[in-house]
Amino acid sequence: MNKRWNNRPENSTWGEWGEDDQLGRLNLIDQRKVLQGIAEVKVGKTFCLSLPLDYPGGQVLNKVRFPPVIKPVIRNDAPYFNYMWNRSNPEHKDIGSDDVVLLHTQYSTQWDSLAHRGKLFDINGDGNLKPVYYNGFRAGEDVAIDEKHETKAKALGIEHMATHGVQGRGVLVDLFSEYGEFPRKEVGYDDLMRIMERDDVEVEEGDILCLWTGLDQMIMRMQGEPDHSINKASAVLDGFDKKLLNWIIDSKVAAIASDNLAVEAVGKKLTPESNGTNLPIHELCLFRLGVHLGELWYLADLANWLRKHNRSKFLLTAPPLRLTGAVGSPVTPIATV
Ligand code: UVW
């Protein structure tokens, strides 16, 4: 029994960290896990795990998300860009520039917050489905939109992730070396376990799992003008594989990130077993477990370095923007090895 729900989804973590918890499994990244991450720093080399935020380019991967538009602030009725302050006082020699950005928060390298995907669920156990998110927060009341289309995740906004810090131990699994770019492979539990065993990769409670598929290097190669081949390229997780979902539950990973669009395959058909979703990993992670999903990360350089040095673990520092009420955020993750 909880003030927001009295029926919690099967295999969920709702209530595990308190009835108002908004962090989900980020709670598993505690001081001990941060120190475990820091212990992976051996040579002090850093990797930027973000694409340029105007990549992938165009709308080939997602029709409704657009690259950032950057404009100048207007000051004294003029664009405040290369602004000559001698306009107001001839003795000034200063010049100044300020940006305004229209940013689709999930266009490029990003985190999904726990308010990104919810579900119609019988939260009261009375047979009525209600639109809710992780830990029973309500669509409408808690994740709100008004008549002017102004939105605010009053609960589960991305700022909670930012204040946590998202610094811990990252573990990378190299799917690219096994599956390459074409044909796209849907990776199930058996595939994942085989590759982890091959590369001697172990994932422990509270680790941030990073799955490298090679889509990032295709995106970089296409230099902002991707063609439709990227919609069929590189590995994705098979969210319809029950064994894989069970592994995500049992492994207690704190978050999952990948260089592909959605971690899992998109555009699939519902099945009688898929629990009313065609993105079962999103449903499991964001709605039930409180596992944030990172998408379109740039993992290639890190992955190649780790392989060369026979390693899979690193310190990962990946706070999103502290953008109150947003349901996703760009991120510039940094790996330190
Ligand atoms: C898709 O684009 C399907 O995934 P997400 O909404 O998580 O980015």
Side-chain angles (χ1 to χ4, degrees), residues 95-331:
I95 60 172
S97 302
D98 253 28
D99 294 324
V100 175
V101 185
L102 176 62
L103 192 67
H104 284 63
T105 54
Q106 300 180 63
Y107 179 73
S108 187
T109 304
Q110 53 128 336
W111 280 118
D112 286 343
S113 84
L114 303 182
H116 175 58
R117 283 262 171 178
K119 189 165 191 188
L120 288 170
F121 180 73
D122 180 9
I123 200 164
N124 297 320
D126 60 6
N128 290 315
L129 299 181
K130 304 275 188 216
V132 292
Y133 292 87
Y134 171 77
N135 214 0
F137 288 100
R138 307 293 201 261
E141 266 163 69
D142 298 312
V143 180
I145 177 165
D146 69 15
E147 58 290 342
K148 290 192 202 136
H149 289 181
E150 286 183 7
T151 59
K152 185 165 189 181
K154 297 178 203 161
L156 305 177
I158 202 74
E159 71 274 16
H160 299 288
M161 200 181 194
T163 52
H164 172 277
V166 197
Q167 184 169 57
R169 189 169 70 179
V171 181
L172 187 131
V173 179
D174 174 358
L175 301 175
F176 174 69
S177 63
E178 182 72 14
Y179 299 117
E181 290 175 350
F182 297 104
R184 169 169 286 178
K185 166 75 180 169
E186 294 188 11
V187 175
Y189 171 82
D190 294 339
D191 306 311
L192 186 64
M193 291 308 116
R194 189 168 45 75
I195 292 166
M196 285 172 60
E197 205 170 307
R198 178 197 73 184
D199 290 344
D200 205 14
V201 178
E202 279 174 18
V203 174
E204 291 172 23
E205 176 174 331
D207 286 336
I208 300 174
L209 173 65
C210 296
L211 300 166
W212 182 46
T213 73
L215 195 76
D216 53 357
Q217 52 193 21
M218 275 189 89
I219 289 171
M220 291 296 265
R221 219 167 52 221
M222 291 176 172
Q223 299 192 340
E225 293 181 358
D227 61 53
H228 284 279
S229 65
I230 60 169
N231 290 316
K232 293 202 162 70
S234 305
V236 288
L237 291 186
D238 176 3
F240 289 76
D241 178 3
K242 279 270 181 309
K243 282 204 293 186
L244 182 60
L245 299 183
N246 286 335
W247 180 78
I248 293 171
I249 296 165
D250 296 340
S251 66
K252 298 208 167 124
V253 288
I256 304 177
S258 182
D259 58 326
N260 62 19
L261 174 67
V263 179
E264 63 184 314
V266 300
K268 307 293 284 187
K269 291 213 163 62
L270 293 177
T271 66
E273 297 82 42
S274 70
N275 216 358
T277 179
N278 65 347
L279 289 175
I281 290 181
H282 278 63
E283 192 259 2
L284 174 67
C285 289
L286 300 176
F287 174 66
R288 286 195 270 161
L289 295 177
V291 167
H292 292 78
L293 296 175
E295 295 161 343
L296 291 170
W297 288 27
Y298 179 71
L299 298 170
D301 294 345
L302 171 69
N304 286 321
W305 190 93
L306 290 173
R307 176 161 293 286
K308 194 164 158 211
H309 294 86
N310 207 16
R311 286 179 54 180
S312 59
K313 296 191 170 79
F314 52 95
L315 172 66
L316 178 61
T317 308
L321 297 178
R322 193 172 177 177
L323 190 57
T324 306
V327 301
S329 169
V331 55

